[in-house]
Amino acid sequence: MRMRTDQWLFATIVALVSLGLVMVASATALSSWRDQETAEVFHSVNISPAIKQCVIAVIAFFSLMWLKKIDYQKLNKPVWAFGAVGIVVILLIAIALVDSQHRWIRFPGGFNLQASEFAKPALVVFLAFFLVMRNGDVNNRFTLM
């Protein structure tokens, strides 16, 4: 079954990401220019934060296109909800044991990622599962508790 794309939602996402990239580029332009001059003096490579954000945006866009093809009803199992939360907890514990002061996962090439960033999609998946389980009682005052 082919899923249709909501054109307005898609256009809104593209517009917000584009606006965010423009904001990052304008906010870091002066400091990137100064860092580039320093990098030229010391013969090192300095990648602009705006370029890093553009690369991440392209990766996210292709991830969006790939995830769009998945039938979301297949993800309605406890293993997805609790597995995502479990992975986040394991990552946070591992980072706390390895590097307790920074809480960052460091990758080669100067790319850093906070382990708590994985909590955002895990929370979305868990809350979606929770709301499906409480389908009839969503408006019940005890659902939030």
Side-chain angles (χ1 to χ4, degrees):
M1 177 174 122
R2 182 165 163 81
M3 303 294 277
R4 288 185 14 167
T5 301
D6 184 351
Q7 299 298 324
W8 285 104
L9 181 61
F10 186 76
T12 303
I13 291 170
V14 170
L16 286 173
V17 170
S18 300
L19 184 64
L21 290 173
V22 168
M23 292 296 117
V24 168
S26 68
T28 60
L30 184 60
S31 64
S32 294
W33 177 68
R34 274 188 275 160
D35 291 345
Q36 190 64 35
E37 284 184 346
T38 306
E40 288 175 4
V41 170
F42 293 107
H43 305 291
S44 62
V45 175
N46 185 19
I47 298 174
S48 165
I51 293 173
K52 286 182 183 179
Q53 288 294 325
C54 286
V55 169
I56 291 170
V58 168
I59 292 170
F61 178 77
F62 285 113
S63 299
L64 174 71
M65 292 295 110
W66 178 70
L67 288 171
K68 188 177 93 164
K69 296 177 182 180
I70 295 175
D71 184 12
Y72 67 91
Q73 293 178 347
K74 292 179 181 176
L75 303 176
N76 189 16
K77 295 181 178 136
V79 70
W80 290 104
F82 291 105
V85 172
I87 289 171
V88 169
V89 169
I90 289 170
L91 276 173
L92 290 174
I93 291 170
I95 294 298
L97 294 176
V98 173
D99 189 9
S100 62
Q101 292 187 346
H102 296 291
R103 308 271 194 260
W104 290 84
I105 301 171
R106 300 180 196 290
F107 294 100
F111 181 71
N112 300 326
L113 183 67
Q114 279 189 316
S116 62
E117 289 296 319
F118 293 106
K120 294 174 187 176
L123 182 64
V124 168
V125 170
F126 182 78
L127 288 176
F129 173 75
F130 176 74
L131 289 175
V132 167
M133 291 294 108
R134 304 236 352 145
N135 191 19
D137 298 326
V138 171
N139 292 326
N140 188 340
R141 63 185 174 135
F142 296 109
T143 298
L144 288 179
M145 287 191 254

